[in-house]
């Protein structure tokens, strides 16, 4: 009986060594107080809430809780009828949105990170319909934007940061989150993500003192990113 020919499978490609695998760095950023100065917008919106709902709490009390979901803030301020207050706040915010401005140097820094092959994302407590126009002004290709309304809990829970990392197929160890409020720091800690405090934002760094960037440009130094030139990109991936 003639011998049968058994096809031999092609050899598998050699497995990459761990040292040959390049980890892509991820930079996640808060929106309000980090990328865009929205304090004038929020002040106008809170003024509308005070006038429409007879609330005498100063804006500074509201500002202390920035970064949390709106209903959470209302609960902490012991204000009832959060849904109606939110409607007033949202309408006034949209009317005052032209007052918002990117912080000086933010656009240049974002494009330097992109040119250095960092993947960029935004994790914010601002609803997407109000966040998207602000982010589009920056002309940056954000690979993910996580805002309220989707699955998971809001900050200080780690959920939005972890979901952003799922979007990017990235590990917490490869990511850094830049925020300006205590809830940002707490969310990063619980997600196992490195944290940098934006000193130009609205909140204090807290204790023990985290890494602090004194300006957007200072992020390049802290994260060891060379300042490369990169073309501006109209719009974003929103």
């Amino acid at each position: 009986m003639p011998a049968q020919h058994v096809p031999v499978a092609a050899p598998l490609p050699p497995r990459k060594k761990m040292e040959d695998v390049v980890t892509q760095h991820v930079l996640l950023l808060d929106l309000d107080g980090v990328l865009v100065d929205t304090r004038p917008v929020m002040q106008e919106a809170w003024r509308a809430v005070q006038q429409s709902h007879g609330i005498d709490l100063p804006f500074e009390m509201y500002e202390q809780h920035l970064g949390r979901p709106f209903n959470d803030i209302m609960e902490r301020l012991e204000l009832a009828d959060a849904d109606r207050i939110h409607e007033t706040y949202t309408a006034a915010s949209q009317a005052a949105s032209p007052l918002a401005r990117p912080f000086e140097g933010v656009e240049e820094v974002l494009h330097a990170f992109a040119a250095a092959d960092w993947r960029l994302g935004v994790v914010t407590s601002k609803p997407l319909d109000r966040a998207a126009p602000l982010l589009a002004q920056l002309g940056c290709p954000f690979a993910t934007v996580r805002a309220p309304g989707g699955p998971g809990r809001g900050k200080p829970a780690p959920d939005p940061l972890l979901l952003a990392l799922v979007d990017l197929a990235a590990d917490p160890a490869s990511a850094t989150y830049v925020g300006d409020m205590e809830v940002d720091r707490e969310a990063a800690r619980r997600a196992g993500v490195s944290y940098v405090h934006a000193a130009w934002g609205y909140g204090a760094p807290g204790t023990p003192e985290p890494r602090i960037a004194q300006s957007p440009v200072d992020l390049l130094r802290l994260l060891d990113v060379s300042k490369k030139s990169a073309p501006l990109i109209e719009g974003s991936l929103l």
Side-chain angles (χ1 to χ4, degrees):
M1 182 175 179
Q4 292 183 335
H5 174 69
V6 179
V8 178
L12 294 174
R15 297 180 65 180
K16 289 185 177 181
K17 298 178 182 178
M18 288 300 294
E19 57 267 27
D20 295 333
V21 178
V22 177
T23 300
Q24 188 166 33
H25 295 293
V26 172
L27 183 66
L28 301 175
L29 306 108
D30 187 25
L31 173 57
D32 300 284
V34 173
L35 294 174
V36 181
D37 183 8
T38 55
R39 179 182 269 140
V41 177
M42 293 186 288
Q43 288 173 325
E44 287 297 315
W46 190 250
R47 188 173 294 114
V49 166
Q50 291 173 316
Q51 294 171 351
S52 298
H53 300 275
I55 294 172
D56 59 3
L57 292 176
F59 171 75
E60 289 72 20
M61 291 189 66
Y62 172 80
E63 188 179 34
Q64 290 176 7
H65 304 289
L66 291 179
R68 296 180 179 274
F70 192 86
N71 283 0
D72 188 1
I73 297 177
M74 295 300 98
E75 183 177 342
R76 287 172 176 271
L77 295 178
E78 299 182 348
L79 295 176
D81 210 358
D83 289 342
R84 288 186 62 242
I85 293 175
H86 195 202
E87 290 176 4
T88 301
Y89 188 94
T90 297
S93 292
Q94 291 171 336
S97 61
L99 298 175
R101 293 287 185 275
F103 285 103
E104 183 178 356
V106 159
E107 293 155 284
E108 181 183 9
V109 166
L110 289 175
H111 285 89
F113 275 101
D117 293 327
W118 283 59
R119 302 194 72 192
L120 305 176
V122 173
V123 176
T124 177
S125 294
K126 186 180 291 298
L128 188 58
D129 60 342
R130 294 187 358 239
L134 298 174
L135 293 174
Q137 293 179 25
L138 301 175
C140 180
F142 294 108
T144 182
V145 176
R146 279 287 169 175
R153 302 161 294 173
K155 296 182 290 185
D159 305 24
L161 288 172
L162 294 174
L163 288 167
L165 293 175
V166 170
D167 294 339
L168 302 176
D171 293 335
S174 68
T176 298
Y177 184 48
V178 183
D180 68 319
M181 303 297 292
E182 181 59 33
V183 291
D184 298 324
R185 179 178 179 172
E186 176 67 9
R189 183 189 67 79
R190 292 167 64 179
V193 169
S194 176
Y195 177 72
V196 173
H197 180 79
W200 62 92
Y202 307 143
T207 55
E209 189 173 278
R211 286 189 296 173
I212 299 176
Q214 297 299 329
S215 67
V217 173
D218 198 27
L219 289 171
L220 300 175
R221 177 188 63 82
L222 280 177
L223 300 178
D224 195 25
V225 174
S226 60
K227 195 173 180 182
K228 301 177 183 178
S229 60
L232 289 177
I233 301 172
E234 294 295 332
S236 70
L237 295 188
L238 290 172

